[in-house]
Amino acid sequence: ILSNEEKRSNYDQYGDAGENQGYQKQQQQREYRFRHFHENFYFDESFFHFPFNSERRDSIDEKYLLHFSHYVNEVVPDSFKKPYLIKITSDWCFSCIHIEPVWKEVVQELEELGVGIGVVHAGYERRLAHHLGAHSTPSILGIINGKISFFHNAVVRENLRQFVESLLPGNLVEKVTNKNYIRFLSGWQQENKPHVLLFDQTPIVPLLYKLTAFAYKDYLTFGYVYVGLRGTEEMTRRYNINVYTPTLLIFKEHINKPADVIQARGMKKQIIDDFIAQNKYLLAARLTSQKLFHELCPVKRSHRQRKYCVVLLTAETAKLSKPFEAFLSFALANTQDTVRFVHVYSNRQQEFADTLLPAREAFQGKSAVSILERRNTAGRVVYKTLEDPWTGSESDKFILLGYLDQLRKDPALLSSEAVLPDLTDELAPVFLLRWFYSASDYISDCWDSIFHNNWREMMPLLSLIFSALFILFGTVIVQAFSDSNDERESNPPDKEEAQEKTGKTEPSFTKENSSKIPKKGFVEVTELTDVTYTSNLVRLRPGHMNVVLILSNSTKTSLLQKFALEVYTFTGSSCLHFSFLSLDKHREWLEYLLEFAQDAAPIPNQYDKHFMERDYTGYVLALNGHKKYFCLFKPQKTVEEEEAMGSCSDLDSSLHLGESRGKPSCGLGSRPIKGKLSKLSLWMERLLEGSLQRFYIPSWPELD
């Protein structure tokens, strides 16, 4: 097809070089007529003033269209050097058409300053649009250092410009005056970077200068001097600055005189980039990392592209040493394209220095100079070290100059070979500092996401937060409504009243615990007699239990009051029934049940003189009629009860612990009697948990 002019012409015009080219031509003409009719009749721009034709509209953004692979492989890595402004658009988007003139104007302005521009068509690049978090069109977002920030203001030129400027870090450019310019320019030794100063008449740092500072932040330090401000006359006079024209100065090792100067009205990005690229490094930069070593001393690619590095191995000093100043002056006088001068602190890069020094003892505490050429990226080099230590004398300079002249003619001068170890990164922040920076970035990202980003992206985080709050709130509510025994003892009710009417006991409650009242306002306690024995115990439904209080006629009122207060919070359960048993009437029945309790009191015999005086008042039995077992609650002695018991002379000290023996006339008041049930609520909680010991019996005895 390419060799035949006719076929080539047909292929270029109609996309076909075969016999059916006439058919293709007619078909295309028909399609053109229909498309032309379609456009002018329905969507002609002259009538509607909306460029709905996607081909015409996309011609503006055609060169900026992004695909997912292009974004991941090129835009994200490049965002560490310059910010990107990206627009999300789609077909049939009226708002997209509305912002088109402003977008076009801003793109032309910012692209000249060095801002990356991108356009994502949400209809064709849904994956990329979803990855960016854009769920509506039009959307405008910025990307810097791989992080995404959305634009939320009105789409006008000034707002978009401020948005791009807000993406940049705030510490890129330092304001310099007469008070701090000496300190600023003297930082080259610690930072190992040239320093750039821009003198201009605008009080605000130009955006172009900020973008340049961001692009070269790893290589240079930038400062700005507002010449209209009082306190800059000393600098302008010292460096002979024309205050009416923007001036850019680069300082390296010497702060008294700039290494390079550029002065022009309306500086363009290309001019500044070329100026900065020629002065990225110091005259004799210090090798502080392996990355810098690769850039300053690249690997030899061919015989015509040889690059030699002259390395000064010296000790670190607070002030510039004489050997380093002599080496620096030699580098300034012998600057060449094929030779790079660098220096290394031997105490910081000890393995590197030991590899280049043949006799470490001879150079102990002294400086040395080596000439090397890298052969591969694995660290293999050829080198030659000057035999004598470097003192900076004229003879040393003459010897080094002779080696460099000889090296141009005979590269075999570098006769020694070695494999250099990787340099340690001297300027890398410590672990805690890196962790702090990462944490601060993460917190700032979360803050921006909460208040600015799309809510769809924040739904998982919000769901997690609200779930945690719900669980925490639920736990607090449960604890607040749980009725603990300690709280009841520390805040007892003011009045304890019990009324026994037809077998019913109704306690009174204060306002504090009124919110805890169960279904009923009273505790229904029935007496366990031979009439109610069968229905309340023997034929009790499965899963139901009868809690029986043991009392006597003399302690009936006091114990029932306390019993009602202790079990009131458990009356909400329909499986619990409450009864009381008279010890005066049914002592034998109780004694028979206690025989099956392993830790019960020993069964009295006929020789026990306290047989009829044993006090079981305050005992509580939880009876399961269906499964034929019971749980036992025995009251504990209180301090007042022990004192009262100590005054009775007829006590038997050999009786079982926890049983109070003696006549009621021994002086026990109502308060010690009520204290017998002080732990009953805790016992009831364990009963509902099923953690109490169970005592099984073969069958329920008859209640005579």
Side-chain angles (χ1 to χ4, degrees):
I1 295 174
L2 296 178
S3 62
N4 190 313
E5 293 295 333
E6 183 179 358
K7 290 184 177 181
R8 181 174 181 175
S9 177
N10 292 334
Y11 187 82
D12 290 340
Q13 295 181 14
Y14 312 112
D16 183 41
E19 298 178 354
N20 56 347
Q21 59 185 7
Y23 171 78
Q24 293 283 351
K25 182 176 181 180
Q26 295 176 3
Q27 187 70 16
Q28 289 188 3
Q29 289 178 352
R30 293 174 184 172
E31 292 178 359
Y32 173 77
R33 293 195 192 102
F34 176 77
R35 186 166 59 248
H36 184 71
F37 168 78
H38 184 274
E39 292 171 356
N40 286 277
F41 187 79
Y42 290 100
F43 307 107
D44 186 61
E45 296 176 20
S46 62
F47 182 79
F48 286 103
H49 301 286
F50 286 112
F52 282 119
N53 187 300
S54 60
E55 293 182 0
R56 296 184 185 179
R57 178 166 53 83
D58 290 343
S59 62
I60 302 173
D61 302 328
E62 186 177 18
K63 58 186 273 190
Y64 304 115
L65 287 176
L66 296 178
H67 304 286
F68 187 82
S69 58
H70 179 223
Y71 168 80
V72 173
N73 298 325
E74 297 184 22
V75 174
V76 173
D78 201 32
S79 67
F80 289 86
K81 298 180 181 179
K82 64 179 181 181
Y84 271 81
L85 190 66
I86 297 179
K87 180 184 70 171
I88 314 296
T89 185
S90 63
D91 292 332
W92 302 98
C93 174
F94 289 91
S95 299
C96 301
I97 299 170
H98 180 71
I99 68 173
E100 195 71 32
V102 179
W103 172 259
K104 183 178 180 180
E105 179 186 0
V106 171
V107 164
Q108 291 177 351
E109 177 186 357
L110 296 181
E111 192 176 19
E112 293 179 356
L113 300 180
V115 178
I117 305 297
V119 175
V120 177
H121 195 290
Y124 302 125
E125 288 292 334
R126 296 182 181 179
R127 181 185 178 189
L128 179 56
H130 180 74
H131 177 77
L132 295 174
H135 301 282
S136 62
T137 56
S139 295
I140 297 177
L141 54 90
I143 301 177
I144 189 169
N145 293 331
K147 300 177 182 179
I148 302 172
S149 300
F150 278 84
F151 175 75
H152 298 280
N153 297 327
V155 183
V156 295
R157 173 183 170 275
E158 192 61 32
N159 288 348
L160 288 172
R161 185 183 177 93
Q162 291 178 0
F163 173 67
V164 172
E165 195 165 356
S166 67
L167 296 176
L168 299 171
N171 58 349
L172 285 174
V173 180
E174 182 178 352
K175 296 292 184 68
V176 180
T177 60
N178 291 338
K179 297 180 180 180
N180 64 342
Y181 82 98
I182 297 294
R183 176 194 59 78
F184 174 77
L185 297 178
S186 301
W188 68 267
Q189 187 175 6
Q190 181 179 3
E191 299 174 8
N192 196 35
K193 297 177 182 178
H195 284 59
V196 186
L197 276 181
L198 173 64
F199 292 80
D200 203 351
Q201 290 182 318
T202 58
I204 302 176
V205 182
L207 179 58
L208 174 60
Y209 191 58
K210 287 185 178 181
L211 293 170
T212 304
F214 180 74
Y216 296 96
K217 62 182 180 299
D218 295 333
Y219 299 97
L220 300 100
T221 302
F222 292 80
Y224 181 75
V225 181
Y226 172 39
V227 295
L229 182 68
R230 296 183 60 183
T232 60
E233 299 84 359
E234 180 182 343
M235 285 188 295
T236 56
R237 184 172 58 254
R238 180 174 183 177
Y239 300 119
N240 194 20
I241 301 299
N242 183 2
V243 296
Y244 301 104
T245 305
T247 306
L248 201 61
L249 279 68
I250 290 186
F251 294 84
K252 295 187 177 180
E253 285 87 350
H254 300 97
I255 65 173
N256 297 324
K257 181 180 179 182
D260 206 348
V261 180
I262 184 174
Q263 192 175 38
R265 295 183 181 273
M267 289 188 183
K268 301 297 182 180
K269 178 180 182 302
Q270 188 61 42
I271 298 176
I272 297 179
D273 286 345
D274 295 340
F275 178 71
I276 296 294
Q278 296 174 2
N279 299 276
K280 284 175 61 176
Y281 307 103
L282 298 171
L283 290 175
R286 187 171 91 250
L287 296 181
T288 56
S289 64
Q290 191 68 17
K291 177 178 178 293
L292 186 61
F293 184 41
H294 290 332
E295 294 175 355
L296 293 175
C297 304
V299 178
K300 182 192 74 169
R301 297 181 179 178
S302 64
H303 293 286
R304 297 181 180 180
Q305 295 180 345
R306 291 182 178 274
K307 295 288 184 180
Y308 300 105
C309 270
V310 181
V311 184
L312 172 67
L313 304 172
T314 182
E316 182 179 6
T317 56
K319 297 183 179 181
L320 297 181
S321 60
K322 182 181 178 181
F324 178 76
E325 290 182 347
F327 184 78
L328 191 60
S329 63
F330 182 86
L332 182 61
N334 296 275
T335 302
Q336 302 176 15
D337 294 337
T338 58
V339 178
R340 178 77 70 178
F341 294 88
V342 296
H343 72 283
V344 174
Y345 285 156
S346 55
N347 56 330
R348 293 194 179 187
Q349 309 289 348
Q350 189 170 358
E351 295 183 2
F352 185 91
D354 292 343
T355 305
L356 296 178
L357 295 179
R360 180 71 177 176
E361 295 78 9
F363 295 91
Q364 187 70 29
K366 300 179 181 179
S367 302
V369 173
S370 295
I371 306 173
L372 62 86
E373 180 187 10
R374 295 182 62 207
R375 291 299 175 89
N376 57 26
T377 57
R380 181 174 173 268
V381 296
V382 291
Y383 70 97
K384 181 174 181 59
T385 302
L386 271 64
E387 298 177 357
D388 298 326
W390 174 268
T391 60
S393 62
E394 294 298 327
S395 60
D396 290 342
K397 295 180 181 179
F398 182 76
I399 294 173
L400 180 57
L401 183 60
Y403 278 132
L404 293 178
D405 292 338
Q406 185 179 354
L407 196 59
R408 297 193 193 98
K409 303 174 183 178
D410 184 16
L413 177 66
L414 306 179
S415 56
S416 302
E417 292 188 11
V419 177
L420 293 177
D422 290 343
L423 294 168
T424 58
D425 194 349
E426 299 179 10
L427 303 180
V430 296
F431 172 75
L432 291 178
L433 198 59
R434 292 199 305 268
W435 181 86
F436 176 76
Y437 289 154
S438 301
S440 61
D441 291 342
Y442 180 77
I443 293 174
S444 63
D445 291 343
C446 292
W447 183 264
D448 294 338
S449 298
I450 291 174
F451 288 97
H452 298 294
N453 281 5
N454 195 292
W455 284 104
R456 295 187 185 181
E457 300 293 326
M458 293 303 300
M459 283 305 296
L461 180 59
L462 292 176
S463 176
L464 179 62
I465 293 175
F466 281 111
S467 299
L469 291 176
F470 178 78
I471 294 173
L472 181 62
F473 182 74
T475 304
V476 172
I477 291 298
V478 170
Q479 291 180 352
F481 281 91
S482 63
D483 191 14
S484 63
N485 182 66
D486 295 337
E487 185 176 342
R488 286 195 300 272
E489 288 185 352
S490 60
N491 300 305
D494 297 337
K495 296 181 180 181
E496 297 180 354
E497 297 179 359
Q499 298 178 357
E500 184 183 353
K501 295 182 180 179
T502 64
K504 294 184 179 181
T505 305
E506 181 177 356
S508 62
F509 293 88
T510 59
K511 294 181 179 179
E512 287 77 12
N513 55 15
S514 61
S515 61
K516 305 177 184 179
I517 296 178
K519 299 178 181 179
K520 299 180 181 180
F522 58 89
V523 181
E524 185 175 356
V525 184
T526 60
E527 183 177 3
L528 196 63
T529 62
D530 54 350
V531 179
T532 61
Y533 182 68
T534 303
S535 60
N536 288 355
L537 178 59
V538 179
R539 295 183 180 178
L540 202 60
R541 285 180 294 176
H544 288 241
M545 297 189 74
N546 196 346
V547 181
V548 181
L549 170 66
I550 309 300
L551 50 78
S552 61
N553 293 331
S554 60
T555 60
K556 183 176 182 179
T557 303
S558 300
L559 287 179
L560 276 177
Q561 290 179 359
K562 185 63 175 177
F563 181 72
L565 290 172
E566 292 290 327
V567 303
Y568 179 71
T569 55
F570 304 96
T571 57
S573 175
S574 60
C575 298
L576 292 179
H577 307 275
F578 302 96
S579 305
F580 67 90
L581 182 72
S582 176
L583 185 63
D584 301 327
K585 300 178 183 179
H586 308 290
R587 175 181 288 271
E588 295 182 3
W589 182 87
L590 178 62
E591 294 282 357
Y592 175 77
L593 247 62
L594 293 181
E595 291 182 9
F596 297 93
Q598 297 178 3
D599 58 344
I603 301 174
N605 51 49
Q606 58 182 350
Y607 302 103
D608 191 352
K609 63 180 180 179
H610 301 292
F611 174 73
M612 298 302 296
E613 298 175 0
R614 190 182 303 275
D615 187 12
Y616 291 114
T617 57
Y619 274 52
V620 178
L621 302 175
L623 308 174
N624 191 318
H626 179 70
K627 293 188 177 182
K628 296 182 178 61
Y629 71 83
F630 65 92
C631 300
L632 176 62
F633 170 79
K634 293 194 305 179
Q636 301 293 326
K637 288 182 183 178
T638 62
V639 177
E640 296 177 359
E641 184 179 359
E642 289 179 354
E643 292 177 355
M645 292 293 293
S647 63
C648 300
S649 59
D650 57 342
L651 291 178
D652 186 359
S653 61
S654 64
L655 296 182
H656 190 271
L657 179 62
E659 293 178 359
S660 206
R661 300 179 183 178
K663 296 180 181 180
S665 61
C666 287
L668 291 176
S670 61
R671 295 192 63 182
I673 293 176
K674 291 182 179 180
K676 291 183 176 184
L677 301 178
S678 60
K679 303 293 184 180
L680 182 59
S681 61
L682 298 178
W683 182 83
M684 289 293 296
E685 291 179 0
R686 294 185 59 193
L687 174 66
L688 296 180
E689 294 174 358
S691 59
L692 291 176
Q693 185 178 4
R694 300 177 180 180
F695 305 105
Y696 289 87
I697 63 173
S699 62
W700 295 110
E702 294 183 359
L703 189 65
D704 297 331

